[in-house]
Amino acid sequence: MNYIDVITCYPTFMRADEITSLIAQGEGLNVAFARRVSAAYINEWRVIEIMACLANSRGGTLLIGVDSDGTVSGCHPFHGNTTDPATLAAAVFRNTAPGLAVDARVVEIDGKDVVAVTTQAHSSPVATRWGTYRTRRLNAQGVPECVGMDPAYLFTRYRDANGTDWALTPAPGATLADLNPEAIVEFRTLTSDSHLQSLDDEGLIRALGFYDDSLEPVALGAIALFGEQMALRRFLPHHHLVIADRRATPRTYRSSAPLALMLSDLQRNSDVFGDGLPLVVNALTHRDYFVPQPVYVAIDGKGLRVTSPGGVPRGVNLQAVADGQATYAPRSLYLATALARMGIARAAGSGIADLSAARKTQRATTLSFAGSHDQGVVASLSWDTEGRVAAASEQSSDVDQLSENEARALQTVRDLDGRSASSSEVATKTGLSKQQAYRALRKLVDAGLIRRTGETRTTRYLV
């Protein structure tokens, strides 16, 4: 596609009334003003930089000839005695990489010329020909400005835009000796895939897509899942989990174990997180491993808050996710698939959707993504203790209709005082067979009297 094709197909055409409305709203993340009462003010190069900056954020419009306070001062001509919109747009396209299509128009406002240059958000980072990468942010005073893009964020944007799965990136110099045998054993124990269980260590890692016959055979996904501590520090130094539990006696837990061991340990201690475990698992699965921050989990009497490094993938609507819409946009398809086969993470974006459905039926929690930003996703659950009591009251009539096995299983789970148990543990405590306990627990879950966490071998039950 050549430049003329791009320009003629571009859909944005600013009218005078729309420009007047933008001026009234003032500058923001998608609107910028620039004064040009003479050639000494903003030049063509600066226009190119600002348009690339807007494209790297939400897209937007640069209004040249409007002062920072919204006063229309008029735009001094760029090209002799006039401003040629096509020439200005061509300059932007020619001096950006990839070439950025913009719509440039000269519109008369209050008897003065204003040049409106508009672009849309660009999936791949846009640079100027002289090597600057900028994006639009609010500074500490809440004023919008163009700032340099952080290198880690820039890498993430390129990777996401070009469909590169980071977990398949070779780990230079790594060998099978850099992988923790205990982590591989834990994966093999938890997976319900009989084929994976039957493979030796190298065969299992090959089947997951993280080992091949190239000169650099070990992929970063193998390091993330099974890496020894030295390998993790070398290849994925930002892989950390911090849990700050402020209930009762405040405690802080830190871990940099490989994901296979870390997630297995979280599953065994799922009581700590209540309904929030899927959020922690989701953060560890889909975080940006190249942003120098840990996954941070804060828990107190009011709820749970998970901060995951890395912005929201483009196309993901967090409000839709909070409302229960299944959304699947993994940073690494291979890593997400491996964890789903392990039986801890859910596949196809259903984990948080299931959580949303559960909170609606049980009235147990409120899910929010308030506070998320370009560098991190923040997911919060607030405990709704009144909702739990109300739900329990509504379900009390169902207890009278339970079978003897179901009643025994329910009482056993309630006696755990908030802890969880597997179906085998419930069978042992009730004297039921494993099959009888499983059927009773399944019916109790369907009735909303108890909850289930985990999948396959990691499934546990709690009130």
Side-chain angles (χ1 to χ4, degrees):
M1 179 180 291
N2 60 32
Y3 170 73
I4 298 298
D5 294 330
V6 172
I7 289 300
T8 55
C9 292
Y10 201 84
T12 304
F13 302 103
M14 297 292 292
R15 302 190 310 268
D17 59 330
E18 292 175 323
I19 294 176
T20 301
S21 177
L22 288 180
I23 294 172
Q25 293 173 25
E27 287 190 285
L29 289 177
N30 58 350
V31 178
F33 297 162
R35 179 179 174 86
R36 183 178 163 87
V37 294
S38 73
Y41 288 80
I42 183 172
N43 58 21
E44 208 169 71
W45 276 41
R46 182 59 180 151
V47 171
I48 294 165
E49 289 185 339
I50 293 175
M51 296 316 298
C53 166
L54 291 171
N56 286 330
S57 183
R58 303 176 179 179
T61 300
L62 168 64
L63 298 178
I64 308 170
V66 179
D67 296 349
S68 59
D69 62 359
T71 301
V72 177
S73 54
C75 177
H76 181 79
F78 277 90
H79 312 110
N81 295 324
T82 187
T83 295
D84 181 2
T87 299
L88 188 59
V92 174
F93 188 88
R94 187 176 60 254
N95 289 286
T96 50
L100 181 63
V102 302
D103 173 67
R105 294 190 167 262
V106 179
V107 180
E108 186 175 310
I109 305 291
D110 297 336
K112 298 176 181 178
D113 285 345
V114 171
V115 177
V117 190
T118 301
T119 190
Q120 295 177 334
H122 210 278
S123 58
S124 181
V126 178
T128 64
R129 289 294 181 188
W130 43 94
T132 60
Y133 287 90
R134 296 181 181 274
T135 188
R136 194 134 170 104
R137 301 250 178 91
L138 296 178
N139 64 20
Q141 289 73 43
V143 178
E145 62 181 6
C146 287
V147 298
M149 297 177 74
D150 178 80
Y153 177 60
L154 180 61
F155 171 80
T156 298
R157 284 281 300 276
Y158 263 125
R159 182 198 64 213
D160 291 347
N162 294 290
T164 303
D165 192 318
W166 71 265
L168 299 182
T169 303
T175 68
L176 291 176
D178 289 303
L179 306 183
N180 186 328
E182 293 182 10
I184 300 174
V185 169
E186 191 69 14
F187 185 99
R188 188 180 286 112
T189 301
L190 292 176
T191 183
S192 60
D193 188 321
S194 59
H195 175 63
L196 291 178
Q197 292 171 348
S198 69
L199 298 174
D200 61 16
D201 290 357
E202 180 181 324
L204 187 151
I205 299 167
R206 282 182 182 274
L208 296 176
F210 299 140
Y211 191 85
D212 58 27
D213 295 319
S214 67
L215 293 177
E216 302 290 356
V218 179
L220 289 180
I223 303 296
L225 271 173
F226 310 120
E228 295 278 13
Q229 282 300 299
M230 288 296 292
L232 284 165
R233 283 197 289 270
R234 177 183 174 188
F235 296 109
L236 296 172
H238 308 310
H239 168 57
H240 297 291
L241 172 66
V242 178
I243 303 171
D245 190 342
R246 298 295 178 253
R247 298 168 298 185
T249 303
R251 291 177 292 182
T252 300
Y253 306 86
R254 293 180 173 84
S255 175
S256 56
L259 284 173
L261 294 178
M262 181 184 288
L263 290 171
S264 177
D265 186 56
L266 292 178
Q267 185 66 56
R268 285 193 295 270
N269 295 278
S270 59
D271 304 350
V272 173
F273 308 100
D275 292 328
L277 181 60
L279 296 180
V280 183
V281 173
N282 187 77
L284 290 167
T285 304
H286 301 300
R287 66 155 292 173
D288 189 330
Y289 278 86
F290 301 94
V291 172
Q293 296 292 334
V295 169
Y296 185 81
V297 182
I299 312 173
D300 58 26
K302 296 181 180 179
L304 173 145
R305 179 183 174 97
V306 182
T307 302
S308 175
V312 183
R314 293 203 172 195
V316 174
N317 184 324
L318 289 180
Q319 186 57 55
V321 175
D323 290 340
Q325 177 179 311
T327 302
Y328 195 52
R331 293 190 191 278
S332 169
L333 176 61
Y334 276 78
L335 182 62
T337 300
L339 293 177
R341 296 174 80 176
M342 187 177 174
I344 291 180
R346 294 295 300 276
S350 56
I352 295 182
D354 288 351
L355 169 61
S356 299
R359 69 182 176 86
K360 289 176 181 177
T361 56
Q362 299 173 16
R363 291 188 294 173
T365 53
T366 299
L367 175 62
S368 169
F369 290 97
S372 296
H373 49 83
D374 286 345
Q375 296 294 314
V377 176
V378 180
S380 303
L381 286 177
S382 58
W383 313 136
D384 182 4
T385 54
E386 294 182 2
R388 290 180 184 269
V389 173
S393 176
E394 292 173 1
Q395 295 162 356
S396 61
S397 61
D398 295 335
V399 177
D400 297 333
Q401 303 173 23
L402 297 178
S403 69
E404 180 181 350
N405 288 352
E406 292 162 6
R408 290 163 66 183
L410 176 60
Q411 189 58 51
T412 298
V413 175
R414 284 180 170 175
D415 288 344
L416 295 172
D417 294 327
R419 292 176 290 112
S420 64
S422 66
S423 59
S424 296
E425 292 169 341
V426 172
T428 300
K429 292 179 181 293
T430 57
L432 301 174
S433 69
K434 291 184 179 180
Q435 192 61 33
Q436 288 173 325
Y438 173 75
R439 285 197 297 266
L441 291 166
R442 185 178 62 185
K443 290 187 176 181
L444 294 173
V445 170
D446 292 342
L449 295 170
I450 63 174
R451 293 179 290 137
R452 182 182 68 187
T453 64
E455 296 292 325
T456 61
R457 298 187 182 194
T458 66
T459 300
R460 299 183 70 82
Y461 302 88
L462 67 161
V463 176

